[in-house]
Amino acid sequence: MIRRAVFPGSFDPITRGHENIILRSLPLFDEIIIAIGINMEKKSFFELSDRIKWIEQVFAAYPQVRVDSFTGLTVDYCKKMDATFILRGLRTAADFEFERTIGQINKKLNSGLETIFLLTTPDFTSINSSIVRDVYKHGGDVSIFIPEGIKLP
Ligand code: ADP
């Protein structure tokens, strides 16, 4: 059976933290789907098409990584894609508390799904997409926070 994982998130935009988690998880799975969750009630800052394009660019050399978007529950999306793992990154204790609830609820909704957590590499602990957006909005240089080669508009 193919070990297929879904890495769900908003990736608004993708950061070096996300990139690091995905690269480190390559040996664990046969296929990783980076799945951009679309929340109808929360408008994203960057266009979905740009977010997809940047992720495709970052993982162009890795055929086992693909990008998609979804609405609705992550567990339903995993079922649709025949994925049995959810991949998440853990930065802080706050992440842990948040992820614990979601992970346990997802397990109740689909007992066949396992959430796999990777601890962030210390250098990336402080990076998150919302900080990147803030720095960007105020004209700061975000290049050290986002994967190499990505050009924000
Ligand atoms: P953010 O929290 O940056 O807005 P997402 O909602 O897109 O990011 O999160 C998707 C997943 O990526 C989550 O599991 C989150 O914990 C993880 N993640 C985000 N930033 C980092 C980072 N710097 N290091 C490790 N994991 C991260």
Side-chain angles (χ1 to χ4, degrees):
M1 197 173 130
I2 288 187
R3 286 167 306 161
R4 185 177 291 119
V6 164
F7 186 31
S10 43
F11 306 100
D12 191 23
I14 183 165
T15 67
R16 290 190 186 216
H18 297 129
E19 178 189 26
N20 178 261
I21 293 289
I22 294 157
L23 291 175
R24 286 166 48 216
S25 73
L26 289 174
L28 303 177
F29 306 111
D30 300 310
E31 205 177 294
I32 300 165
I33 304 172
I34 304 172
I36 304 180
I38 300 168
N39 182 344
M40 302 296 188
E41 280 137 42
K42 208 173 118 200
K43 194 173 162 11
S44 65
F45 183 73
F46 291 106
E47 292 294 336
L48 177 64
S49 55
D50 282 334
R51 287 181 283 155
I52 291 177
K53 180 184 73 187
W54 295 326
I55 296 171
E56 279 173 350
Q57 220 173 302
V58 175
F59 297 101
Y62 300 92
Q64 66 272 52
V65 179
R66 59 188 170 115
V67 192
D68 194 12
S69 62
F70 72 103
T71 52
L73 293 177
T74 305
V75 289
D76 291 340
Y77 177 73
C78 290
K79 196 168 179 191
K80 180 179 142 205
M81 302 312 285
D82 210 9
T84 45
F85 300 99
I86 294 177
L87 174 64
R88 298 290 286 175
L90 286 180
R91 289 162 289 193
T92 59
D95 267 1
F96 171 76
E97 278 307 322
F98 178 74
E99 296 291 344
R100 183 178 59 81
T101 309
I102 296 186
Q104 288 174 342
I105 295 291
N106 283 342
K107 190 79 183 157
K108 279 213 182 293
L109 293 172
N110 179 350
S111 61
L113 262 178
E114 288 297 349
T115 306
I116 307 291
F117 299 101
L118 292 191
L119 288 177
T120 194
T121 299
D123 280 356
F124 301 121
T125 303
S126 58
I127 302 180
N128 66 61
S129 297
S130 98
I131 298 277
V132 173
R133 290 195 299 273
D134 272 350
V135 174
Y136 174 82
K137 280 181 208 165
H138 294 96
D141 179 8
V142 296
S143 59
I144 53 168
F145 305 126
I146 59 176
E148 246 173 73
I150 301 283
K151 291 269 170 293
L152 302 184

